[in-house]
Amino acid sequence: MNNYNTWLKTGFVSEKIPMETNLKDEILYLKKKKNVAILAHFYQNAEIQNIADYIGDSLALAHIAKTTNSDIILLCGVYFMGETAKILNPQKMVIVPDLNAGCSLADSCPADKFEEFIKKHPNHKVVTYVNTTAAVKAISDIVVTSTNAAYIINNFPKEEKLIFGPDKNLGNYLNSITGRNMVLWDGACHVHEKFSVEKILELKKSVPEAKILAHPECKKPVLLIADFIGSTAAILKYSINSKNKNFIVATEAGILHEMRKKSPDKNFIPAPPNDSTCGCNNCEFMKLNTLEKIYLSLIYEFPQVEIDEELRKKAFLPIKRMLEMSEEGKQN
Ligand code: SF4
């Protein structure tokens, strides 16, 4: 119980698990026994992706969270993803393996400051990226992901004035491809901001035939040298369909696991960040999740995501609009 109390306070558990425990088998057993759906983001470690029921980007995970029949959702990603699952499923228990798995991008946009920013731009509709807190979603008109952002923005009448937040790199990219002039919040993801154009070009000299694939959260100079720009799901799809055999991938390195699984005959190289000797770029928040923590969170059914009901209802509407529009987009 002491360990449980420590976990309550810190979101972190230090319980000693017996060495002989087969974590994978135990997790699969508990998952079945408790009717749990394990949803994992593409940026999770390979061992977590391998025990997940569903792997996807933010949009796919939000769709699955809305439709799953399981009693419990265990969200292996970062906290705002658990919040999104709870906003969509207030009646279900939503667990995240580590409460400390935050997001530098979501943290770069505190709700009170964002509200002041909105007030400074009256008569603007507010479009926010899904990487935000529930409180920011609650003051947005619509939420988008990198998969559906351009489609949703293009659906606003051309004369409609828009605010976009929190990612300025994604916002700049969206302005360039949609021809809009959205007012941008000055936020960024520390992982995607770190890619180095010089190091990528240096790497390309040794594999000149490699295609550079970049996520739109990267800075403009990286996007300018990319052969393809897209969400993690779009990058994955491009790599599967491409005849090319070599790819330099400028997004969080966790996606390489699924790319290699889907195309075992192809060569995927993580794009190097500017401050690393290991050559790849990992999100330390995403990587806080471990099999040990997943196992313990299934035993204790903790830590759970809880959201005030008034806030949840407000945050639900812009997510619902997004899911409805992205469904329409698929049918058109
Ligand atoms: Fe947030 Fe960036 Fe980590 Fe994604 S990679 S969870 S945007 S900090």
Side-chain angles (χ1 to χ4, degrees):
M1 194 47 80
N2 276 342
N3 285 318
Y4 184 79
N5 285 338
T6 307
W7 200 4
L8 260 180
K9 283 199 201 109
T10 64
F12 180 76
V13 72
S14 56
E15 184 166 319
K16 281 251 177 293
I17 300 171
M19 285 280 286
E20 64 277 13
T21 308
N22 183 323
L23 287 172
K24 189 178 165 194
D25 286 355
E26 290 297 325
I27 289 168
L28 295 179
Y29 167 75
L30 287 167
K31 181 167 79 93
K32 197 168 172 197
K33 185 177 162 202
K34 298 191 175 193
N35 191 23
V36 180
I38 300 183
L39 279 52
H41 192 270
F42 282 133
Y43 296 167
Q44 292 297 286
N45 279 323
E47 58 186 14
I48 295 179
Q49 294 192 39
N50 290 342
I51 50 104
D53 296 294
Y54 306 97
I55 310 161
D57 62 1
S58 299
L59 179 61
L61 296 184
H63 271 292
I64 294 158
K66 190 162 175 280
T67 52
T68 178
N69 290 323
S70 307
D71 296 318
I72 301 175
I73 297 171
L74 194 147
L75 204 306
C76 302
V78 292
Y79 189 75
F80 77 79
M81 295 176 178
E83 259 190 352
T84 306
K86 186 68 181 176
I87 291 165
L88 292 167
N89 290 282
Q91 75 290 357
K92 287 194 182 168
M93 184 190 295
V94 176
I95 305 172
V96 291
D98 190 326
L99 283 178
N100 295 312
C103 166
S104 62
L105 179 53
D107 289 348
S108 71
C109 188
D112 55 342
K113 299 277 182 299
F114 193 56
E115 195 164 18
E116 285 170 20
F117 183 72
I118 294 170
K119 282 186 188 145
K120 282 187 193 148
H121 299 91
N123 307 317
H124 284 63
K125 290 277 188 270
V126 180
V127 182
T128 51
Y129 194 30
V130 70
N131 300 36
T132 52
T133 59
V136 167
K137 289 182 176 79
I139 52 174
S140 304
D141 290 296
I142 193 159
V143 166
V144 299
T145 69
S146 47
T147 299
N148 60 27
Y151 173 78
I152 289 177
I153 288 163
N154 279 332
N155 263 278
F156 280 98
K158 278 282 172 218
E159 61 283 3
E160 187 89 68
K161 291 180 186 167
L162 303 178
I163 286 172
F164 182 83
D167 192 294
K168 63 183 175 195
N169 295 319
L170 176 60
N172 272 319
Y173 172 70
L174 290 167
N175 274 342
S176 74
I177 61 167
T178 61
R180 316 276 313 203
N181 189 21
M182 296 187 292
V183 181
L184 305 181
W185 176 262
D186 186 15
C189 156
H190 73 300
V191 174
H192 289 91
E193 283 238 303
K194 263 195 299 198
F195 289 112
S196 155
V197 176
E198 292 74 25
K199 286 192 179 178
I200 294 174
L201 291 175
E202 197 54 43
L203 181 61
K204 191 159 158 87
K205 277 189 204 159
S206 59
V207 201
E209 66 280 20
K211 295 276 185 204
I212 299 172
L213 314 180
H215 192 282
E217 284 174 34
C218 295
K219 284 180 169 175
K220 191 172 178 182
V222 172
L223 298 183
L224 287 174
I225 60 162
D227 296 291
F228 179 77
I229 300 166
S231 65
T232 40
I235 286 176
L236 173 65
K237 192 170 168 195
Y238 180 93
S239 71
I240 294 168
N241 295 334
S242 170
K243 290 196 172 68
N244 213 283
K245 291 282 183 199
N246 293 284
F247 302 90
I248 296 170
V249 184
T251 189
E252 212 271 358
I255 184 65
L256 272 74
H257 177 63
E258 188 66 8
M259 290 176 137
R260 288 173 179 142
K261 257 171 75 178
K262 287 281 188 306
S263 306
D265 58 326
K266 296 180 181 174
N267 178 29
F268 297 99
I269 312 163
N274 51 23
D275 64 349
S276 162
T277 47
C278 80
C280 59
N281 201 353
N282 285 300
C283 171
E284 67 267 33
F285 301 112
M286 285 278 183
K287 270 36 182 197
L288 279 175
N289 297 324
T290 62
L291 287 185
E292 287 81 3
K293 290 179 194 172
I294 291 171
Y295 170 60
L296 291 168
S297 55
L298 285 172
I299 293 176
Y300 291 121
E301 299 179 3
F302 192 86
Q304 290 182 28
V305 177
E306 300 291 350
I307 306 174
D308 169 78
E309 183 56 12
E310 277 305 301
L311 176 63
R312 189 200 69 78
K313 281 186 192 155
K314 286 182 190 157
F316 173 69
L317 288 175
I319 302 175
K320 182 169 165 264
R321 285 186 200 117
M322 169 189 78
L323 292 174
E324 287 169 356
M325 278 187 89
S326 57
E327 275 306 305
E328 278 168 33
K330 269 191 220 157
Q331 281 151 28
N332 292 337

